[in-house]
Amino acid sequence: MSTAHHETPETAGPPAAAKPPEPATGPPAPAEAPGRTPSAAPLAHRVPDLGALELLLGVARLGSLGRAARELGITQPAASNRIRSMERMLGVPLVDRSPRGSRLTEAGTLVTDWARRVVEAAEAFDAGVHALRGRRDSRLRVAASMTIAEYLMPGWLITLRTLRPDTAVSLLAGNSAAVAAQLLAAEADLGFVEGLDVPHGLDTAVIGHDRLVVVVAPDHRWARRRTPIDPAELAATPLVLRERGSGTRQVLDAALAAHGGLAAPLLELASTTAVKAAAVSGAGPAVLSRLAVREELAARRLVEVPVGGVSLRRDLRAVWPAGRRPAGPARDLLGLTRSDD
């Protein structure tokens, strides 16, 4: 019996000692995040919105729910509903109403002190965001391919200047590949390209259309042609061309790929102006944007040679970093760029 009496507390003891921790460890498990109680709803569901807090501060300052409502531009019934909703949310009465005015309860006075700090923090937040927008709007970095930079961008920027006279604009001109690289490296806010492909990581919108044309000097033998050049002849002819990576070269390469591809260039130049000057001097046929040669065609310094059997039409595109729709001056410039074909 003595042995049994001795063993019973030894075997029964541990379970009795283990039971108390169970309720202590069970309930807290869902609430491991600091500052959260196990059953707490999200903060937005437990704290009144700023409009309600501003109304309560107005009642405290003016001593009248009606005057506080007028100050905020809402009706008195709407103000009463807002106060009642806040009281239900918090579970305490905040305002005593009487014919002589509105008076804060003891709980209302405490809540008002806390509300004042929340509203002051919100005002500081708003001021900070306003300053960020001001810094963003003070400058605009644009990257554009050569044709757009030379023949379309000046007019757009003059108009933008009237809308945002305080915005400093920098324009980086290069080929379409360089424009994409500048955007992806966060060296530009908005870009414009003429190529066929938009690199991964950029969003795009078509803003207009353009057409490539074959041009020659007036004394070139093609200037007297009455029939269009077929794609195979154009592909086999050494041409004065823009460099690889330019939108003009991309479109021409794609258009003539099925016709044997481009012959080795007669000249390969890094700017539209240089290609145009070479064509005017009689170096050989060139392929350029019609935008770039309008004046030369009108003055007969260059002659357009018709081409059949292939489309040399291309889209002009605005591009920007994916997921970040242009804002501020970039958004305004994008809105100015819509054009007819």
Side-chain angles (χ1 to χ4, degrees):
M1 292 296 295
S2 61
T3 303
H5 181 76
H6 179 70
E7 289 176 352
T8 299
E10 287 183 0
T11 56
K19 283 182 181 178
E22 289 179 5
T25 56
E32 294 179 1
R36 294 288 299 275
T37 59
S39 60
L43 190 63
H45 297 162
R46 294 180 285 126
V47 176
D49 62 40
L50 285 174
L53 297 180
E54 286 181 310
L55 176 62
L56 185 64
L57 291 174
V59 172
R61 189 176 67 257
L62 301 171
S64 165
L65 184 62
R67 286 200 291 274
R70 285 194 294 275
E71 183 177 76
L72 293 176
I74 61 176
T75 65
Q76 184 161 339
S80 296
N81 287 336
R82 193 171 288 182
I83 291 293
R84 281 194 291 271
S85 295
M86 185 162 43
E87 289 174 330
R88 284 195 298 271
M89 173 183 282
L90 299 179
V92 293
L94 301 173
V95 177
D96 285 332
R97 305 161 187 80
S98 72
R100 294 187 301 277
S102 300
R103 181 177 61 83
L104 296 180
T105 64
E106 183 178 347
T109 300
L110 282 173
V111 171
T112 299
D113 289 340
W114 300 330
R116 186 172 291 110
R117 280 178 262 171
V118 172
V119 171
E120 288 172 353
E123 289 172 344
F125 177 88
D126 180 61
V129 171
H130 182 76
L132 282 177
R133 284 197 302 266
R135 188 169 67 182
R136 177 203 67 191
D137 294 352
S138 67
R139 67 167 187 170
L140 173 62
R141 300 169 301 167
V142 182
S145 56
M146 299 301 295
T147 299
I148 294 176
E150 290 183 48
Y151 301 102
L152 294 175
M153 193 60 66
W156 295 339
L157 293 183
I158 288 171
T159 305
L160 181 67
R161 181 71 175 173
T162 65
L163 298 175
R164 290 187 174 268
D166 297 328
T167 298
V169 180
S170 61
L171 174 60
L172 308 169
N175 62 36
S176 293
V179 170
Q182 286 164 342
L183 286 165
L184 293 172
E187 295 171 357
D189 306 305
L190 184 64
F192 297 92
V193 297
E194 310 140 18
L196 296 174
D197 302 320
V198 176
H200 179 71
L202 298 179
D203 287 339
T204 180
V206 175
I207 60 165
H209 305 280
D210 183 27
R211 184 167 59 88
L212 300 184
V213 293
V214 178
V215 292
V216 295
D219 59 354
H220 191 278
R221 60 185 178 84
W222 282 2
R224 296 181 293 279
R225 285 186 69 121
R226 294 294 176 261
T227 58
I229 298 174
D230 64 63
E233 183 182 0
L234 181 62
T237 302
L239 302 170
V240 181
L241 296 173
R242 285 286 309 279
E243 80 286 4
R244 292 188 180 277
S246 70
T248 299
R249 184 68 172 270
Q250 288 177 17
V251 172
L252 190 60
D253 280 337
L256 298 181
H259 303 280
L262 283 168
L266 179 66
L267 291 171
E268 192 172 65
L269 304 171
S271 76
T272 299
T273 301
V275 174
K276 188 163 54 174
V280 169
S281 71
V287 180
L288 288 167
S289 162
R290 203 172 198 290
L291 291 170
V293 294
R294 282 184 299 193
E295 291 184 10
E296 286 74 16
L297 292 175
R300 295 288 298 176
R301 292 194 297 273
L302 287 174
V303 177
E304 180 179 349
V305 182
V307 179
V310 67
S311 174
L312 296 178
R313 187 175 182 268
R314 62 180 178 174
D315 293 331
L316 306 180
R317 300 174 181 272
V319 288
W320 57 88
R324 300 211 314 261
R325 186 73 182 174
R331 179 195 58 228
D332 291 346
L333 178 58
L334 182 59
L336 294 173
T337 60
R338 307 297 178 175
S339 66
D340 297 329
D341 292 2

